Amino acid sequence: MSPNHMDSLSSRIQQVTPSLTLSVTNQAKALREQGEEVYGLAGGEPDRDTPQFIKDAAIAALQDGKTKYTPATGVPELKAAIAQKLATENGLNYSADQICVTSGGKQACYNAILAVVEEGDEVIIPAPYWVSYPEMVRLAGGVPVIVETQESNKWKITADQFEEAMSPRTKMIILNTPGNPTGIVYSAEELKSIGEVATYEDIIILSDEIYEKLVYGETTHTSIGSLDEEIANLTVTVGGFSKAYAMTGWRLGYTAAPKEIAEAIAKIQGHTSSNATSFAQYGAIAALEEAGNAFIDEMRAEYDVRRQFMLGKLREINNISVVEPQGAFYFLVNCTQLGISSVNLCDKLLSRYKVAAVPGIAFGHDKSIRLSYCTDFEVLNEGITRFEEFCQSH
Ligand SMILES: Cc1ncc(COP(=O)(O)O)c(C=O)c1O
């Protein structure tokens, strides 16, 4: 009999749950392998391929022998290009040595948390939240403090709620704008009032801006670190290439942080993964050039059409509710009136209606499900029609 290793596992890892978003994708995949047609509204990545000019830059780097270790925090040209982008597009003043290129936005968030969170430190996380934040905090030995936001306030944490959730152990707050799973985008005023509370109490802000390029209509993206110097001194900005340039498989993101935190992040990365893939970094340099903007504009326009289509369809269903998302590529659908748990709901939706969605419990909101529109129009149309039938049958 093989030994049971449960006793050997660290207490930190035993507190952590596997990623539910990945598990839904796997279930849908298994059904497809059995020959079933599945309408996938559970995805978390652009349904496009990486633009050719980005691939070409990486291929050229590979051919050119850029196959060795790079500095742990990234090649200087890429760090300079990121610093330049943050200055011109986001109004953020970071020098290249405050940037750390990481293997995806995920690693960027985790590095930032590991750099500042001590055993027992509390980290405020507004719910619904991106699935990995609480688990990252636990892995770092910290304590996630979940603050439930209200649909009536468009799923945004207020400065008052932030203040109420604080304790002497509060070390960090995690903000995500545009947000996953809600698609909400904080305004400059909202961020300013949250930032003021943070500066008053010296709370580090982890600002995850991975969806910054996907904002629709009149909405604009604001980086909290651009609002004033005091806020900037407490902010670690996370960005990445996955969502904006359809580069999820490349694993490229970055942190931009105040000097001491940037040095700590560099140490962590130096002792764990070292640099993000060398030739991939050259692809990222190309992405930040002018042609990258044309790709983003085109993708954003297409996603906006899908977003509006889906909003119209969802608003016709009378026993659910949605807040209009202004960014990312998700809808958080409030299914309270259907009266079943989100896991149960998604199981039924998948097994009976062949529609894949992500249960809200993964995001700390068990009364909802997440539907994404990073899929083609036919799938979207059929998926949402089937979802409507499902809702009508309840
Ligand atoms: C809010 C948020 N942050 C970070 C990430 C991680 O991105 P990456 O694929 O670059 O690691 C994701 C990916 O889904 C996300 O939704």
Side-chain angles (χ1 to χ4, degrees), residues 2 27 33 52-53 73 77 114 116 136 142 177 187 229 239 242 249 276 288 290 292 351 354-355 388 392:
S2 61
Q27 278 178 49
E33 279 165 9
Q52 190 59 40
F53 71 92
T73 57
E77 304 93 296
L114 272 182
V116 303
M136 287 178 176
T177 180
S187 69
E229 212 178 308
S242 301
L288 291 176
E290 196 46 41
S351 58
K354 305 288 177 275
V355 175
E388 190 175 357
Q392 278 163 358

Side-chain angles (χ1 to χ4, degrees), residues 18-22 102-114 130-133 135-136 139 180 206 208 210 238-243 248 251-255 269:
S19 171
L20 257 172
T21 48
L22 293 179
T102 56
S103 299
K106 206 171 235 179
Q107 190 187 27
C109 292
Y110 190 46
N111 281 354
I113 291 168
L114 272 182
W130 177 48
V131 62
S132 297
Y133 299 139
E135 310 303 342
M136 287 178 176
L139 278 172
N180 176 7
L206 172 55
D208 180 352
I210 190 123
V238 166
F241 296 85
S242 301
K243 317 288 177 173
T248 46
R251 312 309 304 128
L252 282 173
Y254 55 85
T255 48
Q269 179 131 318

Side-chain angles (χ1 to χ4, degrees), residues 164-243:
E164 276 162 28
M166 241 187 262
S167 85
R169 294 299 318 243
T170 307
K171 191 65 171 285
M172 178 186 255
I173 179 167
I174 303 183
L175 295 176
N176 174 213
T177 180
N180 176 7
T182 59
I184 55 97
V185 177
Y186 283 82
S187 69
E189 295 70 33
E190 289 161 343
L191 290 173
K192 180 91 185 184
S193 55
I194 293 170
E196 277 165 3
V197 177
T199 50
Y200 193 64
E201 300 287 347
D202 265 351
I203 309 295
I204 300 291
I205 303 166
L206 172 55
S207 180
D208 180 352
E209 304 178 19
I210 190 123
Y211 293 97
E212 64 168 328
K213 295 293 182 188
L214 293 169
V215 288
Y216 308 106
E218 301 295 296
T219 308
T220 51
H221 168 73
T222 305
S223 293
I224 190 166
S226 70
L227 295 176
D228 74 38
E229 212 178 308
E230 262 189 289
I231 297 177
N233 283 335
L234 290 168
T235 302
V236 180
T237 307
V238 166
F241 296 85
S242 301
K243 317 288 177 173

